[in-house]
mmCIF file of all heavy atoms in Angstrom:
data_model
loop_
_atom_site.group_PDB
_atom_site.id
_atom_site.type_symbol
_atom_site.label_atom_id
_atom_site.label_comp_id
_atom_site.label_asym_id
_atom_site.label_seq_id
_atom_site.Cartn_x
_atom_site.Cartn_y
_atom_site.Cartn_z
ATOM 1 N N ASN A 1 0.859 -1.181 0.000
ATOM 2 C CA ASN A 1 0.000 0.000 0.000
ATOM 3 C C ASN A 1 0.898 1.234 0.000
ATOM 4 O O ASN A 1 1.483 1.596 1.015
ATOM 5 C CB ASN A 1 -0.910 0.001 1.228
ATOM 6 C CG ASN A 1 -1.823 1.216 1.263
ATOM 7 O OD1 ASN A 1 -2.067 1.844 0.227
ATOM 8 N ND2 ASN A 1 -2.302 1.556 2.440
ATOM 9 N N VAL A 2 1.043 1.862 -1.159
ATOM 10 C CA VAL A 2 1.911 3.026 -1.278
ATOM 11 C C VAL A 2 1.115 4.215 -1.778
ATOM 12 O O VAL A 2 0.027 4.055 -2.364
ATOM 13 C CB VAL A 2 3.109 2.759 -2.223
ATOM 14 C CG1 VAL A 2 3.958 1.630 -1.688
ATOM 15 C CG2 VAL A 2 2.624 2.440 -3.628
ATOM 16 N N ARG A 3 1.655 5.400 -1.563
ATOM 17 C CA ARG A 3 1.007 6.620 -1.998
ATOM 18 C C ARG A 3 1.943 7.415 -2.889
ATOM 19 O O ARG A 3 3.151 7.198 -2.900
ATOM 20 C CB ARG A 3 0.598 7.464 -0.794
ATOM 21 C CG ARG A 3 -0.433 6.789 0.112
ATOM 22 C CD ARG A 3 -0.793 7.679 1.285
ATOM 23 N NE ARG A 3 -1.809 7.057 2.135
ATOM 24 C CZ ARG A 3 -2.303 7.618 3.227
ATOM 25 N NH1 ARG A 3 -1.874 8.830 3.597
ATOM 26 N NH2 ARG A 3 -3.215 6.992 3.942
ATOM 27 N N GLN A 4 1.359 8.369 -3.596
ATOM 28 C CA GLN A 4 2.166 9.212 -4.467
ATOM 29 C C GLN A 4 3.225 9.930 -3.648
ATOM 30 O O GLN A 4 2.948 10.487 -2.589
ATOM 31 C CB GLN A 4 1.282 10.229 -5.180
ATOM 32 C CG GLN A 4 2.044 11.060 -6.204
ATOM 33 C CD GLN A 4 1.114 11.968 -6.998
ATOM 34 O OE1 GLN A 4 -0.091 11.968 -6.784
ATOM 35 N NE2 GLN A 4 1.671 12.729 -7.926
ATOM 36 N N GLY A 5 4.447 9.891 -4.136
ATOM 37 C CA GLY A 5 5.554 10.525 -3.428
ATOM 38 C C GLY A 5 6.380 9.566 -2.600
ATOM 39 O O GLY A 5 7.493 9.903 -2.179
ATOM 40 N N ASP A 6 5.837 8.362 -2.314
ATOM 41 C CA ASP A 6 6.633 7.348 -1.616
ATOM 42 C C ASP A 6 7.811 6.932 -2.495
ATOM 43 O O ASP A 6 7.720 6.956 -3.725
ATOM 44 C CB ASP A 6 5.780 6.121 -1.286
ATOM 45 C CG ASP A 6 4.755 6.403 -0.193
ATOM 46 O OD1 ASP A 6 4.781 7.522 0.356
ATOM 47 O OD2 ASP A 6 3.946 5.504 0.090
ATOM 48 N N ARG A 7 8.891 6.538 -1.838
ATOM 49 C CA ARG A 7 10.064 6.107 -2.586
ATOM 50 C C ARG A 7 10.343 4.644 -2.324
ATOM 51 O O ARG A 7 10.098 4.143 -1.230
ATOM 52 C CB ARG A 7 11.283 6.955 -2.218
ATOM 53 C CG ARG A 7 11.140 8.410 -2.648
ATOM 54 C CD ARG A 7 12.478 9.095 -2.725
ATOM 55 N NE ARG A 7 12.354 10.444 -3.254
ATOM 56 C CZ ARG A 7 13.370 11.172 -3.688
ATOM 57 N NH1 ARG A 7 14.593 10.678 -3.636
ATOM 58 N NH2 ARG A 7 13.173 12.383 -4.163
ATOM 59 N N PHE A 8 10.898 3.977 -3.333
ATOM 60 C CA PHE A 8 11.185 2.550 -3.200
ATOM 61 C C PHE A 8 12.430 2.210 -4.004
ATOM 62 O O PHE A 8 12.923 3.009 -4.803
ATOM 63 C CB PHE A 8 9.998 1.713 -3.692
ATOM 64 C CG PHE A 8 9.733 1.841 -5.168
ATOM 65 C CD1 PHE A 8 10.277 0.944 -6.068
ATOM 66 C CD2 PHE A 8 8.929 2.866 -5.665
ATOM 67 C CE1 PHE A 8 10.039 1.065 -7.421
ATOM 68 C CE2 PHE A 8 8.683 3.003 -7.018
ATOM 69 C CZ PHE A 8 9.247 2.097 -7.901
ATOM 70 N N SER A 9 12.948 1.016 -3.765
ATOM 71 C CA SER A 9 14.085 0.532 -4.550
ATOM 72 C C SER A 9 13.826 -0.913 -4.919
ATOM 73 O O SER A 9 13.051 -1.620 -4.266
ATOM 74 C CB SER A 9 15.397 0.645 -3.756
ATOM 75 O OG SER A 9 15.353 -0.213 -2.640
ATOM 76 N N VAL A 10 14.477 -1.350 -5.977
ATOM 77 C CA VAL A 10 14.330 -2.716 -6.455
ATOM 78 C C VAL A 10 15.712 -3.341 -6.533
ATOM 79 O O VAL A 10 16.652 -2.744 -7.067
ATOM 80 C CB VAL A 10 13.663 -2.758 -7.848
ATOM 81 C CG1 VAL A 10 13.610 -4.184 -8.379
ATOM 82 C CG2 VAL A 10 12.272 -2.154 -7.781
ATOM 83 N N GLY A 11 15.861 -4.526 -5.977
ATOM 84 C CA GLY A 11 17.160 -5.174 -6.004
ATOM 85 C C GLY A 11 17.111 -6.601 -5.516
ATOM 86 O O GLY A 11 16.027 -7.130 -5.232
ATOM 87 N N PRO A 12 18.269 -7.252 -5.404
ATOM 88 C CA PRO A 12 18.319 -8.643 -4.944
ATOM 89 C C PRO A 12 17.652 -8.790 -3.585
ATOM 90 O O PRO A 12 17.853 -7.982 -2.684
ATOM 91 C CB PRO A 12 19.817 -8.932 -4.871
ATOM 92 C CG PRO A 12 20.429 -7.965 -5.830
ATOM 93 C CD PRO A 12 19.591 -6.730 -5.742
ATOM 94 N N GLY A 13 16.884 -9.829 -3.422
ATOM 95 C CA GLY A 13 16.109 -10.004 -2.211
ATOM 96 C C GLY A 13 16.933 -10.285 -0.979
ATOM 97 O O GLY A 13 16.470 -10.112 0.140
ATOM 98 N N TYR A 14 18.178 -10.735 -1.149
ATOM 99 C CA TYR A 14 19.000 -11.104 -0.009
ATOM 100 C C TYR A 14 20.088 -10.077 0.253
ATOM 101 O O TYR A 14 20.971 -10.300 1.054
ATOM 102 C CB TYR A 14 19.653 -12.464 -0.278
ATOM 103 C CG TYR A 14 20.208 -12.583 -1.679
ATOM 104 C CD1 TYR A 14 21.423 -11.994 -2.023
ATOM 105 C CD2 TYR A 14 19.488 -13.235 -2.664
ATOM 106 C CE1 TYR A 14 21.897 -12.074 -3.307
ATOM 107 C CE2 TYR A 14 19.976 -13.316 -3.952
ATOM 108 C CZ TYR A 14 21.185 -12.742 -4.276
ATOM 109 O OH TYR A 14 21.650 -12.805 -5.551
ATOM 110 N N ALA A 15 20.045 -8.978 -0.461
ATOM 111 C CA ALA A 15 21.172 -8.058 -0.376
ATOM 112 C C ALA A 15 20.771 -6.711 0.202
ATOM 113 O O ALA A 15 20.538 -6.587 1.385
ATOM 114 C CB ALA A 15 21.822 -7.885 -1.753
ATOM 115 N N THR A 16 20.623 -5.718 -0.616
ATOM 116 C CA THR A 16 20.531 -4.361 -0.133
ATOM 117 C C THR A 16 19.643 -3.512 -1.012
ATOM 118 O O THR A 16 19.364 -3.847 -2.161
ATOM 119 C CB THR A 16 21.937 -3.736 -0.095
ATOM 120 O OG1 THR A 16 21.801 -2.354 0.244
ATOM 121 C CG2 THR A 16 22.609 -3.809 -1.442
ATOM 122 N N ALA A 17 19.261 -2.375 -0.453
ATOM 123 C CA ALA A 17 18.470 -1.426 -1.241
ATOM 124 C C ALA A 17 19.327 -0.579 -2.163
ATOM 125 O O ALA A 17 18.819 0.199 -2.950
ATOM 126 C CB ALA A 17 17.697 -0.518 -0.298
ATOM 127 N N MET A 18 20.638 -0.706 -2.070
ATOM 128 C CA MET A 18 21.515 0.179 -2.827
ATOM 129 C C MET A 18 21.872 -0.381 -4.203
ATOM 130 O O MET A 18 22.882 -0.016 -4.776
ATOM 131 C CB MET A 18 22.789 0.455 -2.020
ATOM 132 C CG MET A 18 22.514 1.158 -0.707
ATOM 133 S SD MET A 18 21.816 2.805 -0.914
ATOM 134 C CE MET A 18 23.290 3.729 -1.315
ATOM 135 N N TYR A 19 21.073 -1.312 -4.729
ATOM 136 C CA TYR A 19 21.276 -1.806 -6.090
ATOM 137 C C TYR A 19 21.305 -0.635 -7.060
ATOM 138 O O TYR A 19 20.570 0.324 -6.924
ATOM 139 C CB TYR A 19 20.155 -2.784 -6.449
ATOM 140 C CG TYR A 19 19.718 -2.708 -7.884
ATOM 141 C CD1 TYR A 19 20.459 -3.298 -8.889
ATOM 142 C CD2 TYR A 19 18.583 -2.010 -8.238
ATOM 143 C CE1 TYR A 19 20.076 -3.215 -10.206
ATOM 144 C CE2 TYR A 19 18.176 -1.918 -9.543
ATOM 145 C CZ TYR A 19 18.929 -2.526 -10.530
ATOM 146 O OH TYR A 19 18.536 -2.429 -11.840
ATOM 147 N N TYR A 20 22.161 -0.715 -8.082
ATOM 148 C CA TYR A 20 22.193 0.432 -8.976
ATOM 149 C C TYR A 20 22.399 0.117 -10.445
ATOM 150 O O TYR A 20 22.233 1.014 -11.276
ATOM 151 C CB TYR A 20 23.279 1.420 -8.531
ATOM 152 C CG TYR A 20 24.708 1.006 -8.847
ATOM 153 C CD1 TYR A 20 25.349 1.476 -9.981
ATOM 154 C CD2 TYR A 20 25.411 0.177 -8.000
ATOM 155 C CE1 TYR A 20 26.646 1.127 -10.254
ATOM 156 C CE2 TYR A 20 26.710 -0.179 -8.271
ATOM 157 C CZ TYR A 20 27.330 0.299 -9.399
ATOM 158 O OH TYR A 20 28.621 -0.060 -9.664
ATOM 159 N N ALA A 21 22.785 -1.079 -10.827
ATOM 160 C CA ALA A 21 23.105 -1.261 -12.237
ATOM 161 C C ALA A 21 22.800 -2.671 -12.711
ATOM 162 O O ALA A 21 22.960 -3.644 -11.973
ATOM 163 C CB ALA A 21 24.578 -0.938 -12.496
ATOM 164 N N ARG A 22 22.350 -2.732 -13.979
ATOM 165 C CA ARG A 22 22.193 -4.007 -14.681
ATOM 166 C C ARG A 22 22.945 -3.987 -16.008
ATOM 167 O O ARG A 22 22.997 -5.000 -16.699
ATOM 168 C CB ARG A 22 20.710 -4.263 -14.957
ATOM 169 C CG ARG A 22 19.911 -4.637 -13.736
ATOM 170 C CD ARG A 22 19.917 -6.130 -13.495
ATOM 171 N NE ARG A 22 19.143 -6.847 -14.493
ATOM 172 C CZ ARG A 22 18.928 -8.156 -14.458
ATOM 173 N NH1 ARG A 22 19.430 -8.876 -13.492
ATOM 174 N NH2 ARG A 22 18.224 -8.736 -15.395
ATOM 175 N N GLN A 23 23.538 -2.852 -16.353
ATOM 176 C CA GLN A 23 24.206 -2.705 -17.636
ATOM 177 C C GLN A 23 25.703 -2.469 -17.441
ATOM 178 O O GLN A 23 26.109 -1.688 -16.569
ATOM 179 C CB GLN A 23 23.608 -1.517 -18.412
ATOM 180 C CG GLN A 23 22.131 -1.661 -18.741
ATOM 181 C CD GLN A 23 21.889 -2.729 -19.787
ATOM 182 O OE1 GLN A 23 22.726 -2.973 -20.646
ATOM 183 N NE2 GLN A 23 20.740 -3.370 -19.715
ATOM 184 N N ASN A 24 26.535 -3.122 -18.233
ATOM 185 C CA ASN A 24 27.968 -2.862 -18.188
ATOM 186 C C ASN A 24 28.257 -1.413 -18.542
ATOM 187 O O ASN A 24 27.691 -0.860 -19.485
ATOM 188 C CB ASN A 24 28.706 -3.780 -19.171
ATOM 189 C CG ASN A 24 28.761 -5.210 -18.696
ATOM 190 O OD1 ASN A 24 28.856 -5.468 -17.503
ATOM 191 N ND2 ASN A 24 28.697 -6.157 -19.623
ATOM 192 N N GLY A 25 29.116 -0.786 -17.758
ATOM 193 C CA GLY A 25 29.473 0.597 -17.999
ATOM 194 C C GLY A 25 28.524 1.600 -17.398
ATOM 195 O O GLY A 25 28.738 2.812 -17.519
ATOM 196 N N GLU A 26 27.467 1.132 -16.736
ATOM 197 C CA GLU A 26 26.513 2.055 -16.130
ATOM 198 C C GLU A 26 27.100 2.653 -14.854
ATOM 199 O O GLU A 26 27.677 1.934 -14.031
ATOM 200 C CB GLU A 26 25.207 1.334 -15.819
ATOM 201 C CG GLU A 26 24.100 2.248 -15.289
ATOM 202 C CD GLU A 26 22.786 1.524 -15.126
ATOM 203 O OE1 GLU A 26 22.664 0.396 -15.662
ATOM 204 O OE2 GLU A 26 21.894 2.076 -14.471
#
């Protein structure tokens, strides 16, 4: 249940919220 303006991150379930890249050189 989220509202406009809430922030979220997507990443490995066993790791961290600081995921940042899926592309080489990113």
Side-chain angles (χ1 to χ4, degrees):
N1 180 21
V2 299
R3 297 180 178 180
Q4 185 174 0
D6 289 355
R7 294 200 175 195
F8 66 94
S9 65
V10 176
Y14 44 78
T16 174
M18 298 296 281
Y19 144 78
Y20 75 97
R22 287 271 290 184
Q23 298 290 330
N24 287 326
E26 185 174 346

